[in-house]
Amino acid sequence: QVQLVESGGGLVQAGGSLRLSCAGSGSIFSINDMGWYRQAPGKQRELVAAITRGGSANYADSVKGRFTISRDNAKNTMYLQMNSLKPEDTAVYYCNAKWGTNVLYSWGQGTQVTVSS
């Protein structure tokens, strides 16, 4: 059953910004590395940004310099600040705990991000 809930998506113009949130429970955030993923229509789900339990971040080349991942373990919450959005960022965005390339929980509903040109 779903352990993480995404929110904050919406419709924005190219160049705009959105802040996505991922809410969890229990010890998910204090114990695990975390990641933001996205899936566009007709494409495979891809890892966009990852953050270790210690707070070190890594990004896909396509979003470097534009997106910032962060986490607040005490609040059981993770964020993705998305700036300078492009139409190619349009996708459903998901969060999950991860162990290497594996995810630890079932996929949730995700949150839709649509960027118009």
Side-chain angles (χ1 to χ4, degrees):
Q1 59 192 60
V2 63
Q3 302 289 317
L4 299 164
V5 179
E6 304 90 347
S7 63
L11 173 64
V12 297
Q13 292 182 310
S17 298
L18 285 173
R19 186 178 183 85
L20 307 184
S21 297
C22 171
S25 62
S27 59
I28 292 175
F29 288 88
S30 62
I31 291 176
N32 300 298
D33 296 347
M34 303 292 295
W36 281 99
Y37 304 76
R38 69 185 181 189
Q39 186 168 29
K43 298 180 65 178
Q44 189 175 26
R45 198 191 315 264
E46 63 175 337
L47 178 64
V48 174
I51 186 167
T52 69
R53 57 183 178 179
S56 297
N58 287 286
Y59 303 91
D61 288 342
S62 59
V63 306
K64 281 182 179 175
R66 301 188 297 119
F67 292 7
T68 302
I69 188 172
S70 62
R71 64 194 295 167
D72 188 334
N73 294 348
K75 296 181 179 179
N76 293 322
T77 307
M78 180 174 65
Y79 307 95
L80 186 67
Q81 179 66 47
M82 309 165 67
N83 298 326
S84 302
L85 283 162
K86 304 175 180 179
E88 47 263 52
D89 294 319
T90 295
V92 178
Y93 285 71
Y94 305 87
C95 64
N96 215 318
K98 62 190 295 291
W99 176 264
T101 59
N102 299 123
V103 295
L104 303 183
Y105 297 92
S106 59
W107 299 107
Q109 186 79 39
T111 186
Q112 176 72 50
V113 172
T114 303
V115 184
S116 64
S117 59

